Structures are given as structure tokens and as C-alpha cells.
Amino acid sequence: MASSMLIGADNLTLLKGSSPNQLRFIRPQYSHRTHFPQIITQTRAATRTKTLVPKCSISAARPVSQPRFIQHKKEAFWFYRFLSIAYDHVINPGHWTEDMRDDALKPADLSDRGLVVVDVGGGTGFTTLGIVKDVDAKNVTILDQSPHQLAKAKEKEPLTDCRIIEGDAEDLPFDTDYADRYSLYFSLSNSLRINLTSIIFMASSMPIQAQNLTLIKGIAPNRLGFVRSELRGNQVSVLRARTKTLAPKCSLSAARPVSQPRFIQHKKEAFWFYRFLSIVYDHVINPGHWTEDMRDDALEPADLSDRGLVVVDVGGGTGFTTLGIVEHVDAKNVTILDQSPHQLAKAKEKEPLKECKIIEGDAEDLPFDTGYADRYVSAGSIEYWPDPQRGIREAYRVLKLGGKACLIGPVYPTFWLSRFFADAWMLFPKEEEYIEWFQKAGFKDVQLKRIGPKWYRGVRRHGLIMGCSVTGVKPASGDSPLQLGPKAEDVSAPVNPLVFLLRFLLGATAGMYYVLVPIYMWLKDQFVPKGQPI
């Protein structure tokens, strides 16, 4: 595969049955376009050739036997000592997205939750997060030589039950025939010797530019040979008997792992963020992101059809959403819950909410009995939950049989600059993540409705603070069938004040970007003629 990815030849002529170690330059032939030499192999059947044109134009790699600067394990150890600090936030979003990971794992055939899997070079556990979607975490072992990378993996809630060990990819501490699946991601770059017989190459779907790469099934790396190559438009195929296809999706639109909270996603930072934001929340934030028209549109699927309904408004803040609720439900039946006393102080000042019950509390640990409410509403709160799945599980628990949850929240941007600030600020889920969280919690009839400011004209590339309304119905009495471990964040634990201040300032700065975005979109709406895209 490396021969189609890394070489800079304009035309690569290979013979059926030739292996990479038979390649040699027999004469330079320069093309009028790139002036790269043509590589030709000589064998006994020199008359039968096929041409493969790599889409990548990258200079030829050094021989594998010649280590690069950071290929030695000692250099790699210190390299990751520092890179681990920003690995999930900086490296993965640009090179190894969730879409790419899931696509790369498909050929691994993780079809049984009881499979024993070793993830070699597992690092921060990003690839392992994809594995444990299909395999029980208790059956998965993450191995890496970097304790700093593994420390990040240990922080991820879905990997709590995984076995996490330090070790060497070239001298694995497992018995012969130990595992059903072996996953190797990026460890090749730090290894000097490769001798494997059955392997999943995550790296093979990452740097290449080809639309589709068909890999030879069951061929070990030291036996790889292009047996036949055919150029079909923009598709490069390498064929032999039975094949598997990887179609890389080189997109940067995938979000950071949900298990990696953003700067203002922790509850302590969010508490102080709203300590100051509450002063101008109703006058500055809501007019740009959460208007009355949007609120009424988002609450419509909640089916607030009876004034006697018992409603909990979780993360109710200043009561702006609650004002929409009490238009349909008696205020005495509504409870507003928020962790911010400063936001709730603003809610208490609103006359229509005087009869509401207003309490401080945690969205991930609600102070209500199981089966307490007819409706659960939460608007603009999920983005601060360290564990969104836990909060939605709580929504299921507090509802009565047949009760409905309505969760209104942000959607993830696709524009690169907006993604950067979104990832630094707080959680911007993807639409499919909302649906998955609801379904895992046990909800049925899960539906998602898109919302947004009118002056955006339907544009969603910058993300939206309030971008969708998701509803689900509780089909059975009692608690959620989903069982979770301990809470992701202990708000009573002490924090380093300098780290806290840095996180707070960085997150608040990123948040300012989203104060400017609606102004920018409003100006475009004013100047771009109606009917034209903005």
C-alpha cells in the first residue's frame, strides 16, 4: 500500500506478481506535467504491464530500514510526553476523525460483543472508543509504550472496564493465540521491525487521497504486492480473489470525542461562566441565538397540550424557555432546575414564573422521584454536561409512563474556524449523537426537529447554539434500562486554581466568537438579496 501512497512517481508500472522489493529504476522518463521518473519493474513476463497513477504527489519515502527522527522508541516516548496534552484536541480532528475511524474498523468484523481484542498503540483510546461500540470493554486491552497517552485513555468513561497496560508492539505480553482481533493504529511509525500475519491497518485509510482503496485480504505486510492494478476514473483498485474495500472520508466535520470535555463544559467553569453571563443573558445572548419564535417552534414537539401537566425544566437558567412552557401549562406545575443561582435569580424576577418551583440541582443527578413528571424539557443545557448520556438517562427516569422528553441544544459546525471555537468552548453534539443517546436511554419514537434564527436562512455550517429539538417517549415504567458507571465529574474535588483560570479564560474567549457569529449572519442577511444563499 505504501507504494501507492508515498511515492512521487507520476506513473507507476507494476507487473502481476511483482512485490515491492523487486522495484528498481531502469531509466528516467520525464512527463510533460510533473517531471517525475517512471518506475518500471523487470520480470520474465515483461510484456504484460498495468499502470497505476497515485493521486498523492508526495516525495518518495526513505526505506523502512532507515528510521526517521521520531521513529526510535525513546524519541517517540518524549514526543508523546508533550503531544498527549493536545492529542485529542489538535491531532485527531485534523487526521483521524470519528467517521474515518468507524470506516476503518468495518473490515475488522467486530460482530460479536464477546470478542477478545487487543488495541496495540492504543494511545489516548480514541480508536478504542470505536472498538467498544461493538465489543464489551472488559474484553479489550489497550497497550501503548506511552504512560502519558494511556493516562488520557483512563479518563474516558467508556473505557473504564478496559485493561490498560504499557508495552512494546514488537514484544507483546500476550500468550500465543490470545486474541480474536488485533488492532494497530499508528504504531508502525514508531516500530523498526514488522512481522505480523493478520492485522487491521487503521493508518491505511488516513493519509491517502484515493476515493476507494481495495485491499488484499489476508496478506501480511511483508508479502504485500500489487498483483493487478486498474485505473478507473478516480478509483484505484488492487484486486485478488476476495477483497475488502476501505473508502476514506477525509472530512474534518467529525466532533471531538464526547468523553473529552471542552473548556467550559465542566460544571465548575460553567458555574463561573454564568456568574457573569447572567447579567446580560436575556439582553445579549438570547436575541442572537434563542428567540421567542425559535422557542415556540422548538417546544411544539413537546406536546404541552394540558395545563395540568407536571413539567420539569432542567437547566432552565433565567426562565426564558419556561416562559414558553407556562403559556400552555399552569406555572404551579412547573419546576425550574439549574446549577447557577445567578441564572435562577433572574428567573425569580419574572412575573409569569412566580408560582413555579425554582431549585438548584444537577442535570445528571436530578432530585426527583422516578416517574415524577409528565414532561421533561431542557434547553441550552446539554452543552455543559460532562456526560450527556447520563443526563438523558435521568430524563427517562423522572418521566411517567408515556411521558415525553424534549431536549433543545446546539449542533456541531462544519466550517473549520467555527469548529475550532466550538471545540474549545463547550459540547456541540452532532444530530445523530442526540438520537443515539435517546435510544440508548430507552426512549421510543425519537424525533429530531431542526431550528435556527430566521436570518440564518437555514445555514448551519457555523453550528447553532440552539439548533435542534429532540423528543422521545418513555415506553415503560421505572428506571432507564441503561446502566452507567460513576459520574464523570466530581464537583466537590479540589481543582488547581491556575488550571481553572486558564480553562475559564480560553473557554470564555472561544464563547465570544459565537456572540459575533449571529451578528455576522444578520449583516449578510441584510445585504445579500433574498433568495440567494448566504
Side-chain angles (χ1 to χ4, degrees):
M1 285 172 289
S3 58
S4 74
M5 292 160 51
L6 301 175
I7 64 168
D10 182 64
N11 292 293
L12 176 63
T13 307
L14 299 175
L15 296 178
K16 185 173 183 180
S18 301
S19 61
N21 62 357
Q22 293 174 279
L23 286 175
R24 66 186 183 89
F25 288 93
I26 60 169
R27 73 176 184 275
Q29 295 181 1
Y30 292 92
S31 121
H32 67 280
R33 289 183 293 114
T34 58
H35 301 291
F36 278 116
Q38 188 176 58
I39 306 174
I40 302 176
T41 60
Q42 284 189 328
T43 67
R44 295 175 183 174
T47 56
R48 297 187 60 193
T49 64
K50 295 287 183 177
T51 301
L52 182 148
V53 181
K55 292 186 70 176
C56 305
S57 181
I58 307 173
S59 59
R62 282 192 251 169
V64 175
S65 58
Q66 176 60 51
R68 284 67 171 167
F69 290 123
I70 308 294
Q71 193 174 345
H72 288 287
K73 292 189 176 72
K74 285 189 178 181
E75 288 88 341
F77 177 91
W78 286 104
F79 183 67
Y80 280 102
R81 169 64 183 88
F82 301 102
L83 193 64
S84 62
I85 301 171
Y87 196 84
D88 283 332
H89 319 311
V90 177
I91 305 302
N92 281 340
H95 299 281
W96 187 222
T97 66
E98 289 186 10
D99 287 343
M100 293 169 65
R101 177 194 66 195
D102 295 343
D103 199 37
L105 282 173
K106 285 179 183 177
D109 191 23
L110 302 173
S111 55
D112 186 338
R113 297 203 65 83
L115 290 172
V116 176
V117 181
V118 292
D119 184 5
V120 177
T124 65
F126 181 77
T127 302
T128 326
L129 288 173
I131 294 172
V132 298
K133 288 182 178 180
D134 304 296
V135 177
D136 289 338
K138 64 183 179 181
N139 297 329
V140 178
T141 300
I142 309 173
L143 178 143
D144 201 283
Q145 76 149 352
S146 169
H148 312 100
Q149 291 281 82
L150 292 176
K152 298 295 182 181
K154 292 176 182 177
E155 296 174 0
K156 293 179 169 63
E157 178 67 25
L159 308 183
T160 303
D161 291 333
C162 292
R163 182 185 176 199
I164 300 178
I165 59 176
E166 292 181 39
D168 186 344
E170 297 177 352
D171 187 14
L172 296 174
F174 306 113
D175 293 335
T176 302
D177 298 331
Y178 167 77
D180 299 297
R181 298 291 186 274
Y182 175 108
S183 169
L184 176 65
Y185 163 68
F186 249 174
S187 284
L188 293 181
S189 61
N190 301 325
S191 298
L192 303 184
R193 177 171 48 85
I194 306 168
N195 185 19
L196 305 171
T197 57
S198 181
I199 190 166
I200 309 161
F201 278 105
M202 307 304 151
S204 63
S205 73
M206 295 165 49
I208 63 172
Q209 297 289 325
Q211 290 293 327
N212 292 288
L213 177 62
T214 306
L215 305 180
I216 303 170
K217 183 177 180 182
I219 304 299
N222 60 349
R223 292 167 46 212
L224 277 179
F226 288 95
V227 295
R228 182 162 60 90
S229 55
E230 296 180 1
L231 184 63
R232 301 171 182 168
N234 64 352
Q235 177 177 334
V236 177
S237 298
V238 182
L239 308 173
R240 181 170 187 160
R242 300 178 60 191
T243 62
K244 293 283 185 178
T245 300
L246 293 178
K249 299 178 180 177
C250 299
S251 167
L252 299 183
S253 61
R256 274 198 246 163
V258 175
S259 57
Q260 179 59 54
R262 286 65 168 167
F263 289 126
I264 306 295
Q265 193 177 339
H266 288 286
K267 293 190 177 76
K268 286 189 176 181
E269 285 88 342
F271 177 92
W272 286 102
F273 185 66
Y274 277 101
R275 168 65 183 86
F276 301 102
L277 196 63
S278 63
I279 301 170
V280 296
Y281 195 84
D282 285 332
H283 315 304
V284 176
I285 304 302
N286 281 339
H289 298 283
W290 188 220
T291 64
E292 290 187 10
D293 287 344
M294 291 173 61
R295 178 191 66 192
D296 296 342
D297 195 33
L299 285 174
E300 185 269 331
D303 190 22
L304 302 172
S305 55
D306 187 336
R307 298 205 66 84
L309 291 172
V310 176
V311 182
V312 293
D313 184 6
V314 175
T318 65
F320 180 79
T321 303
T322 325
L323 288 173
I325 295 172
V326 298
E327 291 179 3
H328 307 281
V329 177
D330 291 338
K332 63 182 180 181
N333 297 329
V334 178
T335 300
I336 309 173
L337 177 143
D338 201 283
Q339 76 148 354
S340 170
H342 313 101
Q343 291 282 81
L344 292 176
K346 298 294 182 181
K348 292 175 182 178
E349 296 174 359
K350 293 180 169 64
E351 185 62 32
L353 308 182
K354 293 294 184 183
E355 294 185 29
C356 293
K357 184 181 180 183
I358 299 178
I359 59 175
E360 293 182 36
D362 186 345
E364 296 178 357
D365 188 14
L366 296 174
F368 306 114
D369 293 334
T370 300
Y372 168 78
D374 298 296
R375 297 290 185 271
Y376 170 102
V377 176
S378 179
S381 180
I382 189 174
E383 54 263 40
Y384 304 106
W385 300 352
D387 188 351
Q389 182 68 81
R390 185 179 301 276
I392 294 173
R393 181 188 181 280
E394 275 290 271
Y396 184 99
R397 182 186 67 79
V398 303
L399 283 171
K400 299 176 182 177
L401 171 64
K404 181 176 280 191
C406 177
L407 193 149
I408 305 157
V411 290
Y412 195 66
T414 57
F415 181 62
W416 69 271
L417 186 61
S418 298
R419 284 200 310 269
F420 173 80
F421 285 108
D423 284 337
W425 183 17
M426 60 185 186
L427 176 66
F428 282 70
K430 294 187 286 186
E431 291 179 350
E432 56 267 31
E433 288 177 321
Y434 282 109
I435 294 171
E436 180 182 358
W437 291 330
F438 266 70
Q439 291 175 340
K440 282 186 175 180
F443 284 103
K444 301 297 182 183
D445 192 23
V446 179
Q447 299 180 20
L448 184 147
K449 179 179 182 179
R450 289 184 170 184
I451 60 174
K454 291 181 178 178
W455 62 91
Y456 275 54
R457 301 190 196 177
V459 171
R460 300 172 76 81
R461 64 178 176 270
H462 296 293
L464 291 162
I465 304 301
M466 296 293 194
C468 64
S469 174
V470 188
T471 54
V473 177
K474 182 174 181 176
S477 301
D479 202 350
S480 168
L482 179 64
Q483 299 300 312
L484 298 175
K487 288 176 63 176
E489 182 186 17
D490 181 6
V491 294
S492 64
V495 296
N496 185 314
L498 292 178
V499 173
F500 170 85
L501 179 61
L502 179 62
R503 288 179 56 87
F504 180 81
L505 292 176
L506 289 174
T509 302
M512 283 301 299
Y513 173 83
Y514 275 92
V515 174
L516 301 176
V517 166
I519 299 173
Y520 165 72
M521 294 302 294
W522 181 84
L523 289 172
K524 291 189 73 173
D525 180 61
Q526 299 303 305
F527 290 102
V528 177
K530 301 299 181 183
Q532 294 187 15
I534 60 172

